[in-house]
């Protein structure tokens, strides 16, 4: 996977965290950059850690599934992306946070960070199936981009309201589906990038 694909994958994975960060920003009476950084750090750290865990799990089973790895990568990314697209169109918007809880509850932030990074775990399994993937570079890129996007999400949520939440989730889902489709088509020899 090239650096451009990795950047787009990282952006796609960060969209759930971005949507939740917007919600966290909505709860803040005033923009507090220190607290925005704490929220972004939670999301970025979990998004970076989950692919490593998935990679370690996936690499144990690599020799058994090499002949179908491109189908697995496509299925995982399409399912995750499809779920994000579905949640973008749900009537309740798929909100994960509870307005009654404190914005900075460590327990709540950890639960939200895990919930928004489950898809990164599946992507880590996919990385184990792709040759030449540097898991630490990939995880670092995912974590850094998630941090930046989440920080921006808190600020945007605080400044502009929640009008971007569904669009962000929809865009993230579409990006994951397109990357999964590209992986499948490359391995089938239909396209070459």
């Amino acid at each position: 996977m090239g650096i451009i694909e990795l950047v787009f994958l990282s952006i796609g994975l960060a969209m759930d965290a971005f949507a939740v960060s917007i919600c966290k920003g909505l709860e803040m009476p005033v923009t507090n950059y220190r607290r925005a950084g704490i929220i972004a750090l939670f999301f970025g750290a979990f998004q970076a850690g989950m692919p490593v865990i998935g990679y370690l799990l996936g690499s144990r089973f690599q020799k058994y599934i090499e002949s179908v790895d491109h189908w697995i990568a496509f299925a995982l990314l399409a399912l995750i992306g499809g779920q994000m697209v579905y949640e973008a169109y749900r009537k309740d918007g798929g909100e994960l946070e509870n307005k009654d809880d404190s914005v900075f509850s460590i327990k709540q932030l950890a639960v939200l960070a895990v919930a928004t990074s489950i898809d990164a775990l599946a992507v880590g399994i996919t990385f184990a199936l792709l040759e030449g993937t540097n898991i630490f570079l990939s995880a670092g890129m995912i974590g850094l981009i998630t941090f930046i996007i989440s920080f921006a999400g808190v600020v945007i949520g605080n400044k502009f309201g929640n009008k971007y939440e569904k669009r962000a989730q929809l865009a993230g889902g579409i990006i994951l589906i397109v990357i999964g489709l590209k992986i499948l088509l490359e391995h089938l020899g239909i396209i070459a990038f």
Side-chain angles (χ1 to χ4, degrees):
M1 179 175 291
I3 195 76
I4 301 292
E5 293 165 315
L6 183 56
V7 168
F8 280 114
L9 177 64
S10 300
I11 292 168
L13 288 172
M15 288 300 109
D16 279 347
F18 178 67
V20 175
S21 295
I22 288 173
C23 295
K24 299 312 278 175
L26 288 170
E27 294 178 349
M28 298 171 119
V30 200
T31 302
N32 181 323
Y33 294 107
R34 180 178 167 273
R35 290 187 175 173
I38 292 169
I39 292 169
L41 185 61
F42 262 86
F43 289 130
F46 275 82
Q47 286 281 36
M50 289 295 220
V52 174
I53 293 169
Y55 183 87
L56 294 174
L57 293 174
S59 61
R60 301 184 113 202
F61 302 105
Q62 181 176 3
K63 63 184 174 185
Y64 302 110
I65 54 178
E66 279 183 340
S67 64
V68 294
D69 62 351
H70 50 283
W71 287 103
I72 293 170
F74 170 71
L76 288 172
L77 291 169
L79 284 171
I80 294 163
Q83 179 184 2
M84 289 172 68
V85 169
Y86 169 76
E87 287 176 4
Y89 285 107
R90 275 185 22 194
K91 286 185 180 182
D92 66 356
E95 288 185 28
L96 297 171
E97 52 86 27
N98 182 348
K99 295 279 187 189
D100 296 328
D101 291 342
S102 168
V103 178
F104 302 103
S105 160
I106 298 297
K107 181 180 175 183
Q108 183 193 41
L109 287 175
V111 168
L112 291 172
V114 168
T116 58
S117 64
I118 294 296
D119 51 352
L121 178 73
V123 168
I125 293 170
T126 303
F127 283 164
L129 305 175
L130 300 174
E131 287 186 33
T133 301
N134 181 332
I135 188 59
F136 297 109
L137 171 66
S138 300
M141 176 82 71
I142 291 168
L144 178 63
I145 288 176
T146 300
F147 174 85
I148 293 166
I149 288 174
S150 297
F151 187 88
V154 174
V155 173
I156 289 169
N158 188 254
K159 300 276 186 199
F160 301 108
N162 64 3
K163 67 181 179 178
Y164 299 107
E165 180 181 0
K166 288 183 188 263
R167 290 182 188 157
Q169 197 165 21
L170 178 64
I174 290 170
I175 287 170
L176 291 180
I177 292 169
V178 168
I179 289 172
L181 186 59
K182 180 186 175 296
I183 289 169
L184 176 64
L185 294 176
E186 280 180 343
H187 282 277
L188 294 175
I190 296 173
I191 62 169
F193 281 99

